[in-house]
C-alpha cells in the first residue's frame, strides 16, 4: 500500500504526491471518484486489515480530511462514481469485514457532507 499520487498526462506518469501536510493512511480496496475538480476517496482496508470509514479529497496539490457528522459505515470494495447532473459523488455497497456482511446502501457526497 502506498500514499503516492501519480498523474498521467497522456505521455508520461508524474508523481504529484504532496510533500507536506496531512495524507490519508495507506489503504487498498477503497472507493474513489474524480469530480472534475478533485478526487474523493472513501474507506478501504488499512495495513492491519481493518475497514476504514474516512473521507478524503485531493485537490491536485493537497489532501483534505473531512469529518462529517453523518457518514457511511467503514467498508471495503464499495463502488463510487461522479454524478455530474447533481454535482455529487455516489457511493454504493461494499463489504463490512467485521460483520462479514455485504452492504447494499447508497450514499451521496456533495463535497461537505454525506446523505444516505
Amino acid at each position: 500500500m502506498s500514499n503516492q499520487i501519480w498523474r498521467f498526462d497522456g505521455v508520461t506518469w508524474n508523481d504529484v504526491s504532496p510533500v507536506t501536510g496531512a495524507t490519508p493512511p495507506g489503504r487498498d480496496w477503497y472507493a474513489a471518484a474524480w469530480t472534475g475538480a478533485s478526487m474523493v476517496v472513501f474507506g478501504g482496508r488499512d495495513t492491519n486489515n481493518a475497514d476504514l470509514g474516512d473521507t478524503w479529497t485531493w485537490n491536485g496539490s493537497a489532501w483534505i480530511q473531512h469529518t462529517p457528522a453523518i457518514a457511511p459505515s467503514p467498508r471495503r470494495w464499495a463502488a463510487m462514481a461522479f454524478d455530474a447532473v447533481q454535482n455529487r459523488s455516489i457511493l454504493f455497497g461494499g463489504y463490512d469485514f467485521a460483520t462479514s456482511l455485504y452492504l447494499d446502501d447508497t450514499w451521496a457526497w456533495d463535497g461537505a457532507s454525506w446523505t444516505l
Side-chain angles (χ1 to χ4, degrees):
M1 293 180 212
S2 172
N3 285 347
Q4 296 176 326
I5 299 287
W6 290 79
R7 178 181 299 149
F8 185 65
D9 65 11
V11 177
T12 59
W13 285 96
N14 300 290
D15 184 357
V16 295
S17 303
V19 177
T20 61
T23 59
R27 67 191 64 217
D28 59 10
W29 300 338
Y30 55 88
W34 177 251
T35 71
S38 65
M39 179 175 62
V40 59
V41 173
F42 180 81
R45 178 185 71 157
D46 71 10
T47 57
N48 296 314
N49 200 37
D51 288 341
L52 298 167
D54 52 350
T55 304
W56 292 80
T57 55
W58 168 255
N59 65 13
S61 61
W63 283 106
I64 300 164
Q65 184 175 17
H66 301 270
T67 54
I70 299 170
S73 61
R75 63 192 65 206
R76 59 183 73 176
W77 304 333
M80 190 183 301
F82 183 65
D83 176 355
V85 173
Q86 298 292 321
N87 196 34
R88 59 190 185 164
S89 298
I90 305 298
L91 175 80
F92 175 74
Y95 181 76
D96 182 338
F97 185 74
T99 62
S100 299
L101 292 175
Y102 287 96
L103 305 168
D104 63 358
D105 51 350
T106 303
W107 291 81
W109 172 254
D110 65 7
S113 62
W114 286 103
T115 304
L116 181 61

